[in-house]
Amino acid sequence: MENRTFAFIKTDKKLVKLFFKDIIVIKGLGNYVEVHTIDEKRYIYYRTLKDLIESLPDEFMRVHNSYIVNLTNIDSFEDNQLVCGNLKITVAKSYKDCLLNTISKMML
């Protein structure tokens, strides 16, 4: 299934369909992740960030040991802070250069 636009996650004993475009940020919670969506819903399920990043499309980028963001849902980036909707995420120094390089390719 190349070019898929959604995935299913198992949360609260049910399978939930999530469209990638609706995901703002994914926060790592040890062996669990918390997915934040544009409609302000949160889903927690069993998976590590390290495993998850490998199965996500290219528009997702790790910006911190605890965060993966959807680049299409970034509102702004200033200093070391990404603003995604009502969330502010600190970008770790080790990920900043890669993020700036990726963003520079998207500039007009």
Side-chain angles (χ1 to χ4, degrees):
M1 287 193 47
E2 202 68 27
N3 298 327
R4 63 192 171 105
T5 59
F6 64 90
F8 287 94
I9 62 169
K10 188 172 186 172
T11 181
D12 296 329
K13 298 181 182 176
K14 64 182 175 184
L15 291 173
V16 177
K17 182 179 184 180
L18 284 179
F19 286 92
F20 294 129
K21 65 178 178 56
D22 294 337
I23 298 171
I24 296 175
V25 70
I26 302 169
K27 181 180 180 180
L29 304 169
N31 288 331
Y32 288 84
V33 293
E34 182 178 59
V35 179
H36 294 258
T37 63
I38 57 175
D39 56 2
E40 297 186 8
K41 290 185 180 174
R42 295 183 340 191
Y43 302 96
I44 296 176
Y45 72 105
Y46 187 77
R47 189 97 185 253
T48 63
L49 278 183
K50 185 178 178 183
D51 291 340
L52 185 58
I53 192 70
E54 295 169 6
S55 59
L56 290 169
D58 291 341
E59 62 263 22
F60 287 87
M61 176 178 266
R62 192 150 186 186
V63 296
H64 190 278
N65 282 344
S66 300
Y67 290 100
I68 296 171
V69 297
N70 184 343
L71 297 173
T72 60
N73 289 327
I74 294 173
D75 294 326
S76 64
F77 178 49
E78 185 177 352
D79 298 324
N80 284 346
Q81 294 277 311
L82 281 173
V83 177
C84 305
N86 59 0
L87 299 171
K88 287 188 178 181
I89 294 131
T90 301
V91 177
K93 288 179 183 174
S94 57
Y95 294 99
K96 188 175 180 179
D97 287 342
C98 186
L99 176 65
L100 287 172
N101 187 27
T102 302
I103 289 175
S104 71
K105 293 175 185 174
M106 299 176 189
M107 292 179 68
L108 293 175

